[in-house]
């Protein structure tokens, strides 16, 4: 029971911070990405830590790096690190705000793909849905 409460509390805090970070998106696009990146990325890290309450950190790491999740895990962790790197080490870089928004999108897509791996057939359903949408949009353009 305590593990579930810990997990849910971390997830709620993490997702609240991540969502709250998006209120700073305009500020990030205007050249001050720090608040957006810090709030959103720390929120994502706290959310990820929440799942450690359920299985423990060692088991969580083993599950994250299983073959079916390895790519999504590496994209997610890599985008977290790159986001912080671009935010703080590349300060003043031309297009920094856009790069950070793209990295944040990669974070969210990677974690969504990772989460779908826990639901039977969810990835296949997501692929079919995306392909159907893509085919409809590409046929409407012609």
């Amino acid at each position: 029971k305590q593990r579930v409460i810990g997990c849910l509390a971390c997830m709620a805090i993490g997702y609240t911070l991540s969502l709250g970070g998006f209120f700073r998106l305009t500020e990030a696009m205007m050249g001050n990405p720090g608040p957006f990146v810090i709030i959103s990325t720390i929120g994502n890290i706290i959310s990820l830590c929440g799942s450690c309450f359920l299985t423990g950190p060692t088991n969580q790491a083993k599950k994250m790096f299983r073959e079916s999740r390895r790519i999504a895990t590496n994209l997610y962790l890599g985008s977290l690190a790159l986001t912080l790197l671009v935010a703080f080490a590349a300060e003043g870089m031309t297009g920094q705000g856009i790069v950070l928004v793209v990295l944040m999108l990669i974070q969210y897509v990677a974690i969504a793909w990772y989460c779908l791996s826990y639901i039977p057939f969810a990835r296949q359903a997501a692929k079919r849905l995306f392909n159907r949408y893509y085919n409809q949009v590409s046929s409407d353009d012609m």
Side-chain angles (χ1 to χ4, degrees), residues 7 10-11 14-15 41-53 60 64 73 76-77 80 111 114:
C7 175
C10 280
M11 297 279 230
Y15 290 136
T41 302
I42 288 176
N44 287 340
I45 292 168
I46 291 171
S47 297
L48 180 63
C49 291
S51 59
C52 291
F53 277 99
Q60 177 66 24
M64 287 176 71
T73 298
Y76 183 62
L77 296 177
L80 285 171
I111 197 64
Y114 170 82

Side-chain angles (χ1 to χ4, degrees), residues 1-11 47-60 63 118:
K1 183 178 176 181
Q2 291 174 337
R3 287 178 174 221
V4 172
I5 291 170
C7 175
L8 292 175
C10 280
M11 297 279 230
S47 297
L48 180 63
C49 291
S51 59
C52 291
F53 277 99
L54 296 179
T55 62
T58 303
N59 282 335
Q60 177 66 24
K63 289 179 182 180
Y118 283 97

Side-chain angles (χ1 to χ4, degrees), residues 4-134:
V4 172
I5 291 170
C7 175
L8 292 175
C10 280
M11 297 279 230
I13 291 166
Y15 290 136
T16 301
L17 283 171
S18 294
L19 180 63
F22 277 94
F23 291 110
R24 302 291 194 116
L25 188 59
T26 304
E27 197 175 337
M29 298 303 287
M30 300 302 279
N32 184 17
F36 166 69
V37 169
I38 291 170
I39 293 169
S40 297
T41 302
I42 288 176
N44 287 340
I45 292 168
I46 291 171
S47 297
L48 180 63
C49 291
S51 59
C52 291
F53 277 99
L54 296 179
T55 62
T58 303
N59 282 335
Q60 177 66 24
K62 287 179 185 175
K63 289 179 182 180
M64 287 176 71
F65 287 99
R66 284 188 180 155
E67 189 175 339
S68 63
R69 298 183 185 106
R70 191 172 297 140
I71 293 172
T73 298
N74 285 326
L75 273 173
Y76 183 62
L77 296 177
S79 64
L80 285 171
L82 281 173
T83 301
L84 294 172
L85 182 70
V86 170
F88 298 112
E91 195 170 325
M93 174 182 92
T94 303
Q96 182 186 31
I98 305 245
V99 171
L100 289 169
V101 170
V102 169
L103 287 168
M104 291 302 298
L105 288 172
I106 292 170
Q107 282 183 37
Y108 286 109
V109 169
I111 197 64
W113 195 249
Y114 170 82
C115 290
L116 288 175
S117 73
Y118 283 97
I119 304 168
F121 306 108
R123 283 182 168 180
Q124 292 88 343
K127 285 179 188 177
R128 282 194 304 272
L129 182 66
F130 178 77
N131 284 334
R132 186 178 312 142
Y133 176 75
Y134 176 77

